[in-house]
């Protein structure tokens, strides 16, 4: 389960203004429409991306075609740093959930800049360490909490970070499918559908295609209380 409520400080915002300006100078702004595949798992490409505006999802695809959402990334986040470091293929697919503006920098130039600017290298190392710890927390949570608790947590975090008030509830403003929610909560799509159906019957949520309105935030919070 992804820690959506307390995200790591994004890479871009770890950097002093001087280094941001230098990265802008050696990079190029690119635009991606919502729904676009920005990076593809197993492809070999030679650039990193720093999101300037928008939101993306990080997805892995198994050999039998099953998609799992590993994370959501937002303004300031660095993408493609692993392939840039070791020259290997992309470890995951990146898809734009909203319109995205990103700074693209050739991997060779980024790595050269990283070698000559310790603050850049330190930011990358902090980022990688934080993401490794995030994975550890995810695995620990899966063993300690029920699917209902995990999904409640995911929806509450999404509401806090991407929601807008609507009446007495909160509408999540990014388009996530039940498959996406299943990945974020570490369960199956079938289970997500069953839990959401029960919550709809209770009047806690309203769902439609890639659209979710939380009507009873307090009820979801109560599920998180031991």
């Amino acid at each position: 389960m992804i820690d959506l409520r307390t995200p790591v400080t994004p890479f871009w915002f770890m950097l002093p203004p001087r280094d941001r300006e230098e990265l802008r100078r050696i990079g190029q702004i690119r635009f991606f429409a919502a729904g676009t595949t920005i990076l593809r798992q197993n492809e070999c490409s030679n650039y990193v991306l720093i999101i300037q505006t928008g939101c993306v999802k990080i997805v892995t695809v198994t050999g039998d075609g099953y998609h799992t959402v590993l994370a959501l990334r937002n303004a300031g986040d660095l993408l493609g740093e692993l392939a840039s470091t070791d020259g290997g293929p992309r470890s995951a697919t990146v898809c734009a959930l909203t319109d995205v503006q990103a700074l693209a920098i050739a991997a060779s130039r980024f790595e050269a800049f990283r070698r000559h600017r310790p603050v850049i290298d330190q930011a990358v190392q902090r980022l990688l360490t934080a993401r490794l710890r995030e994975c550890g927390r995810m695995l620990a949570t899966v063993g300690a909490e029920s699917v209902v608790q995990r999904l409640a947590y995911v929806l509450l975090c999404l509401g806090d970070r991407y929601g807008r008030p609507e009446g007495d509830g909160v509408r999540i403003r990014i388009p996530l499918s039940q498959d996406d929610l299943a990945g974020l909560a570490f369960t199956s799509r079938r289970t997500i559908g069953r839990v959401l159906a029960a919550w709809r019957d209770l009047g806690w949520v309203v769902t439609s295609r890639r659209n979710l309105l939380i009507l009873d935030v307090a009820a979801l919070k109560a599920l998180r209380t031991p």
Side-chain angles (χ1 to χ4, degrees):
M1 183 176 63
I2 310 304
D3 188 353
L4 298 166
R5 192 185 296 269
T6 54
V8 177
T9 300
F11 170 78
W12 189 247
F13 303 120
M14 295 183 194
L15 308 180
R18 169 191 171 187
D19 290 306
R20 294 186 204 174
E21 286 303 317
E22 184 61 19
L23 289 174
R24 287 192 186 100
R25 188 186 66 78
I26 66 175
Q28 181 180 10
I29 292 292
R30 297 183 62 184
F31 298 91
F32 304 92
T36 301
T37 297
I38 298 174
L39 300 173
R40 197 175 298 276
Q41 184 175 333
N42 296 324
E43 74 176 2
C44 293
S45 50
N46 58 355
Y47 57 90
V48 300
L49 293 170
I50 305 171
I51 301 174
Q52 303 294 289
T53 61
C55 177
V56 305
K57 62 181 179 181
I58 313 299
V59 182
T60 58
V61 184
T62 63
D64 59 3
Y66 183 75
H67 290 61
T68 301
V69 176
L70 299 179
L72 305 180
R73 302 289 182 227
N74 304 277
D77 281 323
L78 176 66
L79 306 174
E81 71 282 354
L82 291 180
S84 169
T85 299
D86 63 13
R90 301 293 185 191
S91 59
T93 292
V94 178
C95 299
L97 285 172
T98 66
D99 291 342
V100 170
Q101 176 180 308
L103 180 65
I105 304 171
S108 58
R109 303 191 75 175
F110 182 77
E111 289 302 313
F113 194 61
R114 181 178 166 183
R115 287 193 297 271
H116 289 93
R117 292 291 297 159
V119 68
I120 301 289
D121 186 61
Q122 290 166 10
V124 173
Q125 293 301 325
R126 286 172 59 192
L127 176 68
L128 294 175
T129 299
R131 289 181 180 173
L132 183 61
R133 288 178 175 171
E134 181 183 51
C135 289
R137 288 194 300 270
M138 288 159 49
L139 293 174
T141 302
V142 169
E145 295 188 342
S146 68
V147 170
V148 168
Q149 289 175 310
R150 296 200 303 268
L151 181 57
Y153 175 82
V154 167
L155 294 190
L156 289 169
C157 289
L158 290 171
D160 282 349
R161 193 165 181 188
Y162 304 105
R164 69 164 184 263
E166 186 169 313
D168 294 329
V170 177
R171 185 172 297 280
I172 296 171
R173 296 178 297 167
I174 55 174
L176 293 171
S177 67
Q178 289 193 9
D179 283 326
D180 296 334
L181 293 175
L184 293 172
F186 271 66
T187 188
S188 68
R189 184 185 188 280
R190 178 178 297 178
T191 301
I192 290 293
R194 185 168 62 249
V195 174
L196 287 177
W199 290 355
R200 283 195 301 271
D201 291 342
L202 290 169
W204 293 358
V205 300
V206 174
T207 63
S208 57
R209 188 174 182 274
R210 296 180 180 272
N211 202 319
L212 195 145
L213 173 64
I214 303 173
L215 294 174
D216 196 335
V217 173
L220 297 189
K221 287 182 177 179
L223 293 174
R224 297 286 300 161
T225 303

